[in-house]
Amino acid sequence: MLEVRNVSRTYGEAHALRDVSVTIQDGQFFSLLGPSGCGKTTLLRIIAGFEDPSQGQVFHKEKRIDNVPANRRRFNMVFQRYALFPHLNVKQNVAFGLQMKKTPSAEVEQRVSEMLSMVQMETYGTRGVTTLSGGQQQRVALARALVNRPEILLLDEPLSALDLKLRQQMQVELLSIQRRLKHTFIFVTHDQEEALTLSDRVAVMNKGRIEQVGTPQEIYEYPKTEFVARFIGSINVLGGEVGDGAADSLSFVGPGKRPFIIKASRDGSRPLPSFAKGTKVSLLVRPEKLKLLKSAPGPEQNTLEGTLKEVLYQGPITQLFVQPKETQGPVWVISQPNTAVTARKQFNLGEKVYVSWLPEDCLLLEKDGNGSGG
Amino acid sequence: MSSTKPKPSRFYGVISALTFIMIYVPLATLVVFSFRAPTGWTFDWYTKIFSDQQIIEALGMSFFVGTVSTAISIVLGTAAALTLERTRFKGRGAFDILTHIPIIMPETVMGLSLLIWFVFLGVTLGSFSMIVAHVTFTLSYVIITVRTRLQGMDPQMEEAARDLGASPWQTFWKVTFPLVRPGIVSGGLLAFTLSFDDFLVTFFTAGAGSDTLPMKIYSMTKYGVSPEINALSTLMLVLTLVGVLVIGAREKLSSPR
Amino acid sequence: MEAVASRPIARLDRRIFLALPALIWFLGFLLIPLFIVVIYSLATRGEYGAVTFNFSLGNYFRIFDSVYLKIFLRSLQLAAVTSISCLLLGFPVAYVMATASPRWRQILMAMVVIPFWTNFVIRAYAIKFLLSDYGLINSLGMFLHLWSEPIYFSNSAFSVWLGMVTNYIPFMILPLYVSLEKFDFTMLEAARDLGASSWNSFWKVLVPLIKTGLITGLIFVFTPALGEFVVPDLLGGAKTMLIGNLITEQFMKTRDWPFGSALSLLLIVAVLVSLTIYLTNRDSRVQH
């Protein structure tokens, strides 16, 4: 178990990390996700031992490690630009860590070839690393780290330099290696799709703070802050304030004094938020939870009236853009699966339409300081 | 780049040719006449300079001063370059400027300031004072060359070595040094060439009786022209050119990274 | 609570001590000597070359003596003539290089750089040899019956000029080439297309855009040329006293070190002024 306790990191006046605490269980594929400059790489480098925290501590197996130099931590890193040693060949690169530990050469030989075959690079042992393609360098970097049997493998945006197809292929391989070895992987990325696909748990970071830690599903379906909601996937936002509450529901008063109803999710995983009446909040709904209608539905559904601005056919889904009648804010995005049902309904641009969704399908979150909720 | 480049006018071509003639004809004449006998061609001037004890001594002195000052510059310069490129500390900017001063300072001023200082300290002028003076300017060139190499080297390399369990010392010898070695060698060649070639700083710090080759040539030219000077100069030209060509070839080899 | 206790000291990166030997070297053999030059410039020459430390500005006032002022002006004149000659001859070379094919560019670059690496005593001597009474030029002239007696070229203004220009021209060509190499030559076509004469497109488009290279080149030539003494010494004989020779003489012959120190500080001031011009000139380009 790795535990980061109240870690801050400042560079002069700049705060890279502000009071970050997080616990990572053994054997997890854990992602640090956030936009560039959010502090995720700094946190990884503190765990690796390349940076010292300005404040706070790091514990591994209940032992404090933030004062242990990088070369004495049993963690290994896959670097963003791989950092393979250009003066050594593939085998020598992979063997480097074992040789530093004065491992007997027979064992080095055996473990290196084992590892090279695991990453499917066994035929490249004597090649110079500069002659390899990006994907091959990636595999060597992975082998070089894993051959040391690290207690934790740290990965600093290792896939960002690869093209889309290779990236997807490497994602699958990374995941299968992690499942097989059951090492803890800490993976830094700015790609939310990658984080959702690969991780057991994700920490979403913003401006040096951890906004939320949870499973990919929790992060996507029940974001705790507007930042998380906006950063993961796309989401429609309406600004307003909390209206009257009832036993199992809450009302939200949006632009044009129109009320919307919010309910707890049916499985109970997201309870009804407890806001006092009059609190400034944002209402958020994911595009795939929305339906587009030609006439207003019943009062049990939330409905927003607007004008259809654009229709984009994208193969599996169609995206529709609606300008809500009562706000000048951003257009709403509705994504509909392309089925026989939706195909029958044809909408014309400029047409008056109704966007509707279930009270269980929307979120109510405290207004983000820098959000532009509409 | 596919921008259309105009052909320069013939006038520019003629001026350029004239400029190169101005630069090269004197040097070429010198080289040719070093093989010239009153009638026909000869190597006599070369055998003559090699039997001149003073010239041999000057050549030896040049090599000695060049080698020792290069060695000192390489050790001090590589260490300083590492600090400048890989660490942050207060006064780093000031140190950076300090390392560039010997390059912009007029050589005359550097030479005479060292002369005053040596006399003030009571140091006898000779090979020791020359070595100290040469290191003072060659050191800067080694620092700059090694720094350039370090800048081209991903600092993640060193972190990767640490991450794989290498101590700072192991990291230096197993990763940093092999990767910056081309820079150290180029810097050393540069330092040696500059030291071997130097006239002005040497002029002030050599003292009596410890001539280097350029000093010897200078004092010989004071008495007018002679075929021996031609031969000696040609020799010197060849030695420097070899140094420059080796540096150039090394850079060409290492540049398409 | 222990959990919020801050770290007292960050781990010290011991690599900073690696710079210590170089730092000590530069302090001991660069800065202290310079400081001593300043001290000496405020002293006075005593009997037989001894130095009296009486701290007066007398040496600086002496520079304004008409004898020295003349020498200073002559040095300025030589440096100016050298810079302008280098510009007039170097610009075509840089232009030809910038518009040449990559292969020719490399060859020309090598041709510019190689003499820069050869010893300048040798280069000066080579010119002296070429122009000597029975050197190539005189032999050729007399062989072709262009003149019958050796022309006394050496120790003339011409040989000094030739020595200075060939010595410093690489410093002009290289910065000019760097500017011209970045220059988009289609802009000249654009200027012509908009009705500019070739004269106008040269002065209104090309020159403003390579201004940095021009100024850098002029400074790189002017500054060292100002303090030059070997070339005039070898090629001009004793007739042309310049500031460089004057300084050297104070140290090697007259043994008036305090006055020599004051003169050399003047040289440093000239370098600092040029450096400031160079740096501000470079910065203004960065802002664009």
Side-chain angles (χ1 to χ4, degrees):
Chain A
M1 190 174 81
L2 183 87
E3 212 186 335
V4 175
R5 274 191 214 158
N6 306 97
V7 163
S8 296
R9 179 70 172 114
T10 51
Y11 299 102
E13 292 293 294
H15 291 259
L17 290 176
R18 301 161 190 262
D19 195 24
V20 166
S21 296
V22 65
T23 303
I24 298 166
Q25 300 296 341
D26 288 341
Q28 272 188 349
F29 198 120
F30 193 96
S31 289
L32 297 171
L33 171 67
S36 63
C38 71
K40 56 189 191 298
T41 297
T42 307
L43 182 55
L44 191 79
R45 290 170 60 82
I46 286 176
I47 295 171
F50 298 134
E51 308 240 359
D52 296 324
S54 309
Q55 261 173 15
Q57 300 92 31
V58 183
F59 291 84
H60 182 238
K61 294 182 171 163
E62 321 277 293
K63 276 201 206 83
R64 190 168 161 189
I65 58 158
D66 51 290
N67 42 18
V68 177
N71 50 320
R72 299 220 201 95
R73 296 188 196 188
R74 292 216 44 207
F75 303 166
N76 288 114
M77 176 110 121
V78 177
F79 290 84
Q80 193 171 7
R81 297 181 298 267
Y82 317 135
L84 297 177
F85 305 129
H87 59 302
L88 304 177
N89 66 26
V90 170
K91 260 189 180 166
Q92 290 165 331
N93 261 281
V94 178
F96 191 91
L98 296 175
Q99 280 162 352
M100 290 301 116
K101 285 183 212 84
K102 308 242 184 314
T103 315
S105 58
E107 192 190 335
V108 173
E109 186 73 24
Q110 191 220 333
R111 279 168 69 176
V112 167
S113 59
E114 239 175 62
M115 200 44 70
L116 282 179
S117 66
M118 190 177 91
V119 298
Q120 295 155 37
M121 290 292 291
E122 59 270 53
T123 55
Y124 292 87
T126 53
R127 284 271 292 271
V129 290
T130 47
T131 64
L132 302 179
S133 71
Q136 291 169 331
Q137 292 191 19
Q138 170 72 76
R139 289 160 198 272
V140 176
L142 195 61
R144 184 178 70 174
L146 285 173
V147 78
N148 305 291
R149 300 183 184 144
E151 285 164 334
I152 298 179
L153 183 72
L154 307 166
L155 302 107
D156 185 10
E157 307 217 20
L159 307 180
S160 62
L162 304 179
D163 61 52
L164 182 67
K165 220 166 171 174
L166 206 51
R167 190 156 72 223
Q168 287 169 342
Q169 189 191 335
M170 283 306 294
Q171 284 175 4
V172 174
E173 280 184 40
L174 261 185
L175 205 56
S176 78
I177 287 172
Q178 198 266 338
R179 296 249 160 92
R180 189 139 40 108
L181 300 176
K182 301 196 168 54
H183 288 329
T184 311
F185 278 31
I186 303 179
F187 186 88
V188 160
T189 181
H190 63 269
D191 183 335
Q192 32 116 352
E193 218 175 281
E194 195 167 272
L196 295 186
T197 315
L198 295 174
S199 317
D200 295 315
R201 287 174 79 76
V202 180
V204 183
M205 295 186 66
N206 181 32
K207 294 181 178 166
R209 288 204 172 84
I210 291 186
E211 298 254 340
Q212 187 174 355
V213 182
T215 63
Q217 199 186 3
E218 283 165 2
I219 298 280
Y220 184 79
E221 298 288 344
Y222 315 119
K224 287 200 173 118
T225 65
E226 198 177 324
F227 172 81
V228 175
R230 284 168 173 276
F231 187 71
I232 313 284
S234 59
I235 200 154
N236 298 299
V237 185
L238 215 53
E241 57 179 61
V242 177
D244 295 312
D248 64 339
S249 70
L250 206 62
S251 82
F252 166 86
V253 185
K257 299 283 168 243
R258 176 192 283 276
F260 296 96
I261 302 158
I262 292 95
K263 285 185 178 164
S265 65
R266 272 176 206 152
D267 60 2
S269 56
R270 180 177 53 85
L272 195 66
S274 52
F275 286 116
K277 189 179 169 182
T279 314
K280 295 269 180 225
V281 288
S282 297
L283 176 107
L284 305 101
V285 203
R286 297 262 180 222
E288 71 275 10
K289 316 278 188 204
L290 298 172
K291 258 191 287 186
L292 199 62
L293 304 166
K294 292 208 183 227
S295 53
E300 71 284 356
Q301 296 214 1
N302 290 317
T303 308
L304 194 68
E305 196 182 321
T307 319
L308 186 65
K309 286 288 184 193
E310 192 62 76
V311 178
L312 300 179
Y313 176 79
Q314 295 180 331
I317 59 158
T318 297
Q319 287 205 317
L320 303 116
F321 295 83
V322 173
Q323 177 66 58
K325 187 175 129 199
E326 281 130 344
T327 73
Q328 261 74 63
V331 292
W332 275 46
V333 185
I334 298 108
S335 67
Q336 286 189 340
N338 289 326
T339 63
V341 180
T342 54
R344 243 182 289 128
K345 276 192 276 179
Q346 287 294 328
F347 294 95
N348 300 316
L349 293 188
E351 196 177 343
K352 186 175 171 187
V353 290
Y354 297 89
V355 179
S356 85
W357 66 94
L358 296 172
E360 295 91 334
D361 272 342
C362 59
L363 297 159
L364 209 56
L365 294 173
E366 203 162 341
K367 226 171 143 34
D368 204 19
N370 47 313
S372 58
Chain B
M1 268 225 305
S2 62
S3 81
T4 53
K5 295 208 165 159
K7 273 231 158 349
S9 69
R10 182 153 299 165
F11 176 67
Y12 282 4
V14 170
I15 299 278
S16 302
L18 263 176
T19 306
F20 284 119
I21 287 173
M22 276 170 54
I23 297 173
Y24 280 97
V25 165
L27 289 174
T29 317
L30 183 106
V31 172
V32 170
F33 274 76
S34 75
F35 297 103
R36 187 81 194 146
T39 51
W41 305 94
T42 179
F43 278 108
D44 279 2
W45 311 119
Y46 288 89
T47 42
K48 219 169 175 179
I49 58 169
F50 278 114
S51 55
D52 184 329
Q53 194 54 35
Q54 283 187 329
I55 290 175
I56 299 295
E57 270 169 27
L59 186 68
M61 181 60 85
S62 279
F63 268 105
F64 176 67
V65 171
T67 313
V68 177
S69 54
T70 301
I72 298 174
S73 299
I74 282 179
V75 176
L76 267 57
T78 305
L82 270 174
T83 309
L84 278 165
E85 281 306 313
R86 290 294 188 261
T87 62
R88 296 270 163 272
F89 57 94
K90 251 199 193 128
R92 183 177 169 277
F95 184 54
D96 186 21
I97 292 171
L98 185 63
T99 61
H100 283 83
I101 291 178
I103 292 167
I104 53 165
M105 189 150 100
E107 273 191 89
T108 319
V109 178
M110 182 186 269
L112 65 87
S113 70
L114 279 164
L115 169 65
I116 300 180
W117 184 221
F118 287 139
V119 170
F120 186 86
L121 291 175
V123 174
T124 320
L125 298 182
S127 55
F128 174 76
S129 61
M130 274 193 277
I131 288 168
V132 169
H134 282 207
V135 171
T136 309
F137 66 86
T138 53
L139 182 54
S140 293
Y141 290 91
V142 173
I143 291 176
I144 288 169
T145 317
V146 177
R147 279 184 75 178
T148 312
R149 182 77 196 175
L150 278 168
Q151 280 160 5
M153 178 185 148
D154 194 337
Q156 278 192 353
M157 293 290 170
E158 283 144 328
E159 288 183 352
R162 296 299 302 277
D163 184 70
L164 294 166
S167 67
W169 190 246
Q170 284 172 316
T171 303
F172 178 77
W173 286 111
K174 299 269 178 191
V175 175
T176 317
F177 180 71
L179 291 176
V180 296
R181 193 166 42 204
I184 296 174
V185 174
S186 295
L189 280 170
L190 187 60
F192 186 83
T193 313
L194 286 168
S195 163
F196 194 81
D197 229 20
D198 182 74
F199 172 75
L200 278 174
V201 173
T202 315
F203 179 74
F204 284 97
T205 53
S210 52
D211 275 355
T212 60
L213 209 50
M215 295 278 293
K216 182 73 193 155
I217 295 175
Y218 179 75
S219 59
M220 284 166 81
T221 58
K222 280 290 201 176
Y223 301 108
V225 301
S226 78
E228 285 100 329
I229 308 179
N230 295 349
L232 190 54
S233 302
T234 304
L235 207 67
M236 194 98 190
L237 284 181
V238 170
L239 280 174
T240 352
L241 277 188
V242 168
V244 173
L245 289 179
V246 171
I247 297 174
R250 292 183 58 84
E251 269 166 16
K252 220 175 187 178
L253 281 178
S254 63
S255 61
R257 250 179 290 131
Chain C
M1 263 185 61
E2 207 211 65
V4 281
S6 68
R7 302 174 56 81
I9 311 161
R11 229 179 295 141
L12 182 69
D13 193 337
R14 265 174 286 171
R15 284 183 297 182
I16 65 169
F17 294 117
L18 287 173
L20 221 52
L23 179 67
I24 291 169
W25 194 285
F26 282 135
L27 285 179
F29 300 116
L30 186 68
L31 290 191
I32 294 178
L34 269 180
F35 179 71
I36 295 204
V37 171
V38 176
I39 301 284
Y40 261 73
S41 75
L42 299 170
T44 315
R45 183 171 84 123
E47 295 283 311
Y48 309 110
V51 175
T52 321
F53 291 98
N54 55 348
F55 299 103
S56 78
L57 290 172
N59 290 315
Y60 292 97
F61 291 128
R62 255 174 86 194
I63 296 172
F64 295 99
D65 187 299
S66 68
V67 182
Y68 302 123
L69 220 51
K70 242 185 224 153
I71 292 174
F72 192 63
L73 285 178
R74 198 185 295 138
S75 303
L76 278 176
Q77 188 194 1
L78 179 66
V81 169
T82 305
S83 313
I84 290 169
S85 309
C86 283
L87 178 61
L88 293 179
L89 292 171
F91 178 79
V93 177
Y95 195 96
V96 168
M97 277 169 74
T99 52
S101 68
R103 182 164 174 74
W104 266 102
R105 213 182 266 205
Q106 256 183 339
I107 294 170
L108 290 172
M109 178 60 97
M111 283 175 66
V112 171
V113 174
I114 284 172
F116 174 76
W117 280 104
T118 56
N119 189 286
F120 70 107
V121 175
I122 292 178
R123 265 178 287 148
Y125 168 75
I127 289 167
K128 189 178 178 139
F129 178 69
L130 184 77
L131 299 178
S132 62
D133 293 358
Y134 293 94
L136 187 67
I137 300 290
N138 268 321
S139 307
L140 215 61
M142 288 187 287
F143 177 77
L144 298 172
H145 298 288
L146 297 176
W147 57 84
S148 55
E149 288 289 306
I151 297 180
Y152 194 60
F153 287 113
S154 43
N155 294 0
S156 71
F158 173 71
S159 60
V160 172
W161 176 84
L162 191 59
M164 292 295 277
V165 169
T166 52
N167 199 15
Y168 288 111
I169 203 162
F171 292 99
M172 176 62 79
I173 295 175
L174 293 178
L176 276 179
Y177 168 73
V178 170
S179 282
L180 280 167
E181 207 256 342
K182 280 189 232 138
F183 179 75
D184 180 0
F185 283 92
T186 49
M187 272 193 271
L188 288 183
E189 289 172 4
R192 297 301 295 274
D193 182 65
L194 296 168
S197 63
S198 54
W199 175 261
N200 269 335
S201 61
F202 181 84
W203 286 104
K204 301 255 155 101
V205 179
L206 183 69
V207 171
L209 285 168
I210 60 161
K211 206 180 84 194
T212 313
L214 273 172
I215 295 175
T216 308
L218 284 171
I219 288 169
F220 278 12
V221 174
F222 186 85
T223 316
L226 191 62
E228 179 61 56
F229 86 90
V230 175
V231 172
D233 188 47
L234 280 177
L235 295 174
K239 283 182 295 185
T240 41
M241 179 65 91
L242 294 164
I243 184 159
N245 311 49
L246 185 62
I247 293 174
T248 314
E249 281 206 349
Q250 304 311 312
F251 282 89
M252 300 318 224
K253 289 190 189 133
T254 342
R255 292 195 68 76
D256 188 347
W257 288 14
F259 184 50
S261 299
L263 286 169
S264 65
L265 285 175
L266 196 70
L267 214 55
I268 291 187
V269 169
V271 171
L272 288 180
V273 169
S274 309
L275 200 68
T276 317
I277 299 172
Y278 166 67
L279 288 175
T280 46
N281 176 43
R282 196 182 57 171
D283 285 346
S284 68
R285 186 190 57 181
V286 172
Q287 279 163 18
H288 276 292

